[in-house]
Amino acid sequence: MAAVAASDGPGGTGFFASVSDVVAHVWTAATTPVDPPSAAVVVVTAAIALTIVVVTPVWRVARHLVTIAHEGGHGVAALVTGRKLTGIRLHSDTSGLTVSYGRPRGPGMIFTTLMGYVAPGLVGLGAAALLRQGYAVGLLWLLVLLLALLLLQIRNWFGLWSVLVSGTALVLVSWFLEPAAQSAVAYAVTWFLLLGAVRPVLELQAERAGGRAPTSDADALARLTGVPGLVWVGVFLLVTAGCAVLGAVWILGPAPFGA
């Protein structure tokens, strides 16, 4: 009886070859600059993002994306400062919790606490920089990678669902849509991160003024540093609003020479 080969040799079309093809496709798409969309598309995507941010019923759903970036910021800051990151939880009320262990005070703890509210704006600014260079599709795949890394730290079911849905949506856009549509989505996501980073800071201060946020990041920073919580809210607002303005300038301005 003739034997049947169970594996592919070099150049085969089995599992590993398929994985290699997928990786090659993603890498090529991510590293190939695409033409920017028309000015009309850029403006429309900005208007859509702004509408999502200011219309409260829609914002309550979309805010989960900002929470993902917020808690991811805490997590990255914890790792960068040498703290032990043990898990991230995302809740259905758009709150979240990042748990890390290390010194209870000092620069590491301050930086970790600080990064939550400013992270969405900083991510949006980085996204705007990539768009400015023409890497709209690369931005989408980079966000997929970041969500995949975040998924390793999620410790509750809602957080798992939230990150998986977000990541799956980005994969579908990045794999199946045409470059023009992918670029429009990348611009919309970037605008949303830039504009959506500001509203939680305003909501934070409203809650603090009503005595409903005694354990907020701003108040935690006040206890760590002795600087009033209102000052820290001002820092959050300065960074997020600054990222929004600078990101808008990068997106709307002319592309850099040689891009």
Side-chain angles (χ1 to χ4, degrees), residues 11-25:
T13 58
F15 174 76
F16 292 107
S18 298
V19 171
S20 176
D21 290 342
V22 169
V23 171
H25 172 83

Side-chain angles (χ1 to χ4, degrees), residues 6-184:
S7 61
D8 295 304
T13 58
F15 174 76
F16 292 107
S18 298
V19 171
S20 176
D21 290 342
V22 169
V23 171
H25 172 83
V26 170
W27 179 256
T28 300
T31 56
T32 302
V34 297
D35 293 331
S38 66
V41 171
V42 174
V43 171
V44 168
T45 56
I48 292 172
L50 181 60
T51 300
I52 292 172
V53 172
V54 300
V55 177
T56 298
V58 182
W59 168 248
R60 287 173 181 161
V61 177
R63 195 185 192 283
H64 288 291
L65 300 178
V66 177
T67 302
I68 289 173
H70 178 118
E71 299 304 329
H74 283 314
V76 170
L79 293 173
V80 167
T81 57
R83 298 179 61 80
K84 182 180 180 181
L85 179 63
T86 60
I88 295 173
R89 292 176 176 269
L90 305 171
H91 304 135
S92 59
D93 63 354
T94 71
S95 66
L97 177 67
T98 299
V99 179
S100 64
Y101 290 94
R103 292 182 58 188
R105 305 188 71 85
M109 188 62 186
I110 293 171
F111 183 64
T112 298
T113 307
L114 171 66
M115 280 302 295
Y117 276 96
V118 303
L122 293 174
V123 173
L125 186 61
L130 288 175
L131 293 182
R132 185 171 169 80
Q133 298 294 332
Y135 294 108
V137 181
L139 167 62
L140 296 176
W141 282 116
L142 178 59
L143 291 175
V144 170
L145 176 60
L146 293 176
L147 287 172
L149 294 175
L150 179 65
L151 194 64
L152 300 176
Q153 294 295 331
I154 296 297
R155 296 295 182 268
N156 68 323
W157 286 110
F158 183 83
L160 181 68
W161 177 86
S162 183
V163 174
L164 280 176
V165 167
S166 302
T168 300
L170 288 175
V171 168
L172 293 176
V173 168
S174 304
W175 189 266
F176 291 108
L177 296 188
E178 294 297 320
Q182 293 170 340
S183 183

